Amino acid sequence: MQNVDRPKALKPLMEAATALNNPILQKAKENGKKVVGFLYQETPLEIITAAGAVPYFIRGTGSDGTEYADAFFRNLACNYVRHTYNQILNDKLDFLDGAVFYNSCDHARRIYDNWMTVPGNPV
């Protein structure tokens, strides 16, 4: 496949999509906004934004292993859950001010239960 130069306008969007804590989130926090993570695409983002916060889709981006999360989740749990929780344990999501969970998937719901045991958690 041919390497295509992307327009300069896409650069901030590509950075935001591939980084955990990106310049767009940093600017929002500098302006006093809270960042609230969510796991499910069905989460009503209007409620988060109506509260004056910035919604952040927790998605396991950039995770390179599950070695810590494996102590909490068996291999039966999907990679999304294990990689996401590994990032939590490695303080990669420490920029979050809160998180929204509901019982849609039992394994992802266990992220909440386990995250509650981590000192300084935002949930």
Side-chain angles (χ1 to χ4, degrees):
M1 182 160 28
Q2 190 176 19
N3 188 4
V4 178
D5 289 333
R6 290 180 173 77
K8 290 180 183 178
L10 286 180
K11 186 176 180 184
L13 295 174
M14 294 297 294
E15 288 174 2
T18 58
L20 290 173
N21 189 355
N22 58 62
I24 294 169
L25 291 177
Q26 291 172 3
K27 185 168 181 129
K29 288 188 75 92
E30 288 170 7
N31 291 329
K33 297 268 188 180
K34 302 286 185 186
V35 178
V36 176
F38 65 96
L39 289 177
Y40 308 108
Q41 294 175 342
E42 298 82 14
T43 301
L45 304 182
E46 298 83 1
I47 295 173
I48 296 172
T49 55
V54 177
Y56 177 82
F57 184 33
I58 301 171
R59 59 196 189 279
T61 298
S63 174
D64 56 3
T66 61
E67 61 280 356
Y68 299 116
D70 288 343
F72 295 85
F73 296 97
R74 296 179 181 216
N75 288 337
L76 174 64
C78 69
N79 283 334
Y80 169 68
V81 167
R82 291 180 15 248
H83 280 276
T84 298
Y85 197 62
N86 213 69
Q87 287 182 322
I88 291 166
L89 293 173
N90 284 319
D91 293 329
K92 303 283 185 175
L93 299 175
D94 61 351
F95 59 89
L96 294 178
D97 297 298
V100 174
F101 291 87
Y102 54 89
N103 199 16
S104 176
C105 160
D106 286 340
H107 292 142
R109 170 66 169 76
R110 297 291 81 79
I111 289 177
Y112 169 81
D113 295 335
N114 290 322
W115 202 349
M116 291 300 296
T117 67
V118 176
N121 71 66
V123 293

